[in-house]
Amino acid sequence: MIHFAIVGCGHIANKHIEAIAMTEGAKLAALCDTNIARLSELKERNNVPVFSNMTDMLEQELPIDVVCICTPSGLHTGLAVEAANAGKHLVIEKPMALTLDDVDAITQAVRRNGVKATVVHPNRYRPAIRYLQDALSRDAFGKLSHVNVAVRWNRGQAYYDQASWRGTHAMDGGVLMNQAIHSLDLLIWLFGPVAEIKSFVDTRIRDIEAEDTAVAVLRFSNGILGIVEATTTIYEQNLEETISVFGENGYAVIGGRTANWIKQWKSASITEEEINRVIQEVDLDPFGVSGHQRIIENLVHAIQEGIEPDITLEDGREAVKLVVDIVSKGKAELYC
């Protein structure tokens, strides 16, 4: 049995609690948060020890094997390094950290202490994305010309005003780091590293430090061109999250308010019958087993078998690096 503690008990912690409960060989052992009222609520619901300080939690003789870091992003580094130094494996919510120096500090601590760590990029496990990955592995669209991701969402001013850390550079990051990083992770995972970037970023509407809107054009190392659009300024509600792929022998568009549905799919090498079957399967179960559960299951397996998790710290670093590069180049373009 692999025992998990969760540090940071906001909204995302609920997904971790559920994922641990649904995973064979995993058990929730402790919860930690500075919000005492929230802790009391979760203690009653989950019947586990609770702590307001992670150091105190780690000093107790509790059967904790893994620490899930679910705090605001700016706190990830210190907590992850401390947990790794205590010999605990790690599940780190996205983004892994907000700077490359912090990412590298976590990686060094993990390697130094011989523990395992994974980063939460659950969109890789969506059924439609898995079908897309399989089609790309079979070269179903032929030579690719370009790909596109768009995150057109709403995070109103009230969202940012709920907590002083939201929208800040030090604790949260902007739309790319907080909302669009999952789409950027998919770009790298599916199409490889990025070689060249042209971008603009700006804070157009929301009263925050970080950017609320970003646009970028990419050239991948393999020559594929890419377009990124991300914003939290869409009026009133989330509009869409899409990933589109265009090639000489076909195309695919996966979208909806979240990228869970196959909206368009054509391929010279896949029959209409097979395409329709896949679309129907996705429509029946567009979310599948939760990505968080897949990640918890995979880490349990990695610990038990002594292998690396599927989503590595290097994967987490590549996603953060792409955000950092787009933002830095975008700000340079904006103010040149």
Side-chain angles (χ1 to χ4, degrees), residues 8 19 66 117 208 213 336:
V66 182
I208 58 175
T213 303
C336 68

Side-chain angles (χ1 to χ4, degrees), residues 63-191:
I64 297 174
D65 303 297
V66 182
V67 174
C68 298
I69 307 295
C70 301
T71 61
S73 303
L75 300 176
H76 286 184
T77 304
L79 294 168
V81 169
E82 181 181 354
N85 286 340
K88 310 304 180 184
H89 306 290
L90 299 172
V91 176
I92 308 172
E93 264 296 336
K94 62 80 185 168
M96 180 179 168
L98 294 178
T99 71
L100 293 177
D101 285 344
D102 282 351
V103 166
D104 293 341
I106 294 172
T107 302
Q108 290 164 12
V110 166
R111 291 174 178 170
R112 184 172 61 247
N113 291 283
V115 297
K116 299 190 183 301
T118 190
V119 184
V120 179
H121 284 297
N123 292 19
R124 294 186 182 195
Y125 295 98
R126 291 174 173 176
I129 297 298
R130 286 290 173 167
Y131 280 120
L132 177 61
Q133 180 204 31
D134 178 67
L136 290 168
S137 72
R138 292 187 284 150
D139 200 28
F141 308 113
K143 182 178 180 180
L144 301 183
S145 59
H146 66 292
V147 298
N148 172 284
V149 294
V151 179
R152 296 165 176 156
W153 283 355
N154 170 274
R155 296 293 184 271
Q157 192 61 45
Y159 165 86
Y160 292 106
D161 292 343
Q162 285 178 5
S164 60
W165 57 267
R166 288 187 172 176
T168 63
H169 292 301
M171 296 296 290
D172 184 34
V175 61
L176 290 170
M177 194 69 84
N178 198 351
Q179 282 79 30
I181 194 166
H182 290 310
S183 294
L184 299 183
D185 170 68
L186 290 180
L187 282 181
I188 300 167
W189 182 55
L190 293 171
F191 306 107

Side-chain angles (χ1 to χ4, degrees), residues 233-290:
T233 66
I234 300 301
Y235 179 65
E236 286 193 336
Q237 62 185 8
N238 290 348
L239 180 62
E240 63 178 327
E241 176 191 27
T242 62
I243 179 167
S244 306
V245 182
F246 302 96
E248 61 178 338
N249 296 326
Y251 57 83
V253 178
I254 297 174
R257 287 195 179 183
T258 55
N260 286 88
W261 289 267
I262 298 174
K263 296 296 186 180
Q264 302 286 339
W265 192 294
K266 291 287 184 180
S267 171
S269 62
I270 303 177
T271 65
E272 288 290 330
E273 182 180 14
E274 182 180 352
I275 290 171
N276 289 333
R277 177 185 59 79
V278 167
I279 292 173
Q280 289 172 6
E281 287 183 5
V282 170
D283 284 346
L284 287 172
D285 187 14
F287 299 98
V289 176
S290 97

Side-chain angles (χ1 to χ4, degrees), residues 215-237:
V215 294
V217 179
L218 317 175
R219 185 187 298 276
F220 293 84
S221 295
N222 53 21
I224 299 170
L225 301 181
I227 302 168
V228 173
E229 175 193 345
T231 187
T232 57
T233 66
I234 300 301
Y235 179 65
E236 286 193 336
Q237 62 185 8

